Amino acid sequence: MTTESVLEAQAQARPERFADLFAHRRWIRRSQPFQHVYARDVFVPEFYQRLTDDLALIQRERPELFGQVASNYSAAGARLADLRDTSLAVFSSREWHDLVAGIAGVTATGDVEGSVHHHTPGAPYGWPHNDLNPAWFPGEPPGPDEVRLPGGGVDTKSGARASGVVARESIRAVAVLFYFGNPGWQPGDGGETALYDHIAEGEKLPELTLVPPLDNSLILFEVTPRTWHTFAGGNTKDRNSVVMWVHRTKDETIERWGGDRIVYW
């Protein structure tokens, strides 16, 4: 495994107030089982406490925001697009978009998709997937200081919308999983994220790397046809995370990997 610090290069590009949210710049790039970035103690304690306080408030006072993420997935999710009046808006900000795109080396569109995921205890193991999926966003492409979130009468997964509504298809380019609201996690508590070095049809699942859901930590990676991962299940306690993506154009995705590698819903 090779490692290197990756956050320092982005330090000068961020507004000072945004930069002050981070506890340090020692985000580590790992090469196995695929290229990804891992960081502990991401945010300063004061801001991390705001995130966990807002999570608890949302879960207590706005439970209607949480819906099933997918028919075959055990998490309930609250969309970042519905949480922009909380500290969780940091994950749908242009500064965060540009930071994660820069770390991954991706030219991103300004489109941001994501939600807060909550797994109740005993959630089942997920299925390996690579996140190379499309998403549809309303309106024209955002400007250089803007982001575009799902909604606006456009179905995110299918692009379905009323006549006359403008929508664009883009493809997930960088995935971020930020773990929070999981105090006291210990080995054996389950709920890790499993990373695979490959998935081949007809073969047994390969050896995997388990990323623990430690509070105030994250994993970040460019989405490619081989970024296979899943929720490892078996959590003995509630498990919370932010799962979000920035996107690239469909044309760039096709140029790099071919249109047949895009996984449609």
Side-chain angles (χ1 to χ4, degrees), residues 4-12 14 22 24-28 42 99 103:
E4 59 177 302
S5 178
V6 299
L7 193 58
E8 189 69 34
Q10 279 73 38
Q12 300 305 317
R14 300 195 308 271
F22 295 95
H24 60 81
R25 294 169 181 164
R26 297 182 300 276
W27 294 22
I28 304 302
V42 174
L99 173 67
I103 289 173

Side-chain angles (χ1 to χ4, degrees), residues 165-222:
V165 175
V166 175
R168 296 169 294 104
E169 181 183 12
S170 58
I171 309 297
R172 291 173 175 175
V174 184
V176 181
L177 292 85
F178 173 76
Y179 307 101
F180 73 135
N182 308 306
W185 187 93
Q186 297 292 326
D189 288 346
E192 298 97 334
T193 299
L195 311 180
Y196 302 93
D197 61 359
H198 73 283
I199 298 288
E201 187 175 354
E203 293 186 7
K204 293 182 179 179
L205 289 181
E207 292 295 319
L208 54 82
T209 298
L210 292 176
V211 179
L214 296 171
D215 277 350
N216 204 12
S217 71
L218 66 71
I219 180 174
L220 176 160
F221 53 87
E222 180 184 6

Side-chain angles (χ1 to χ4, degrees), residues 44-199:
V44 296
E46 297 81 5
F47 186 69
Y48 176 74
Q49 188 62 51
R50 285 181 58 193
L51 292 170
T52 58
D53 288 348
D54 282 348
L55 172 65
L57 185 67
I58 295 160
Q59 291 175 327
R60 183 175 65 251
E61 298 189 1
R62 302 166 72 183
E64 70 280 0
L65 294 181
F66 286 85
Q68 189 172 10
V69 172
S71 60
N72 54 350
Y73 189 61
S74 59
R79 303 188 318 157
L80 292 178
D82 296 327
L83 301 175
R84 302 199 77 187
D85 58 343
T86 75
S87 60
L88 289 153
V90 68
F91 296 107
S92 56
S93 68
R94 184 70 196 206
E95 292 87 353
W96 182 262
H97 169 282
D98 291 349
L99 173 67
V100 301
I103 289 173
V106 165
T107 300
T109 60
D111 299 316
V112 175
E113 173 196 4
S115 56
V116 174
H117 283 195
H118 175 74
H119 288 87
T120 57
Y125 204 98
W127 75 98
H129 55 284
N130 62 16
D131 277 358
L132 196 61
N133 309 121
W136 290 82
F137 292 86
E140 300 297 333
D145 298 320
E146 302 174 318
V147 295
R148 187 78 70 241
L149 300 174
V154 178
D155 184 87
T156 306
K157 292 184 176 181
S158 71
R161 70 272 195 190
S163 176
V165 175
V166 175
R168 296 169 294 104
E169 181 183 12
S170 58
I171 309 297
R172 291 173 175 175
V174 184
V176 181
L177 292 85
F178 173 76
Y179 307 101
F180 73 135
N182 308 306
W185 187 93
Q186 297 292 326
D189 288 346
E192 298 97 334
T193 299
L195 311 180
Y196 302 93
D197 61 359
H198 73 283
I199 298 288

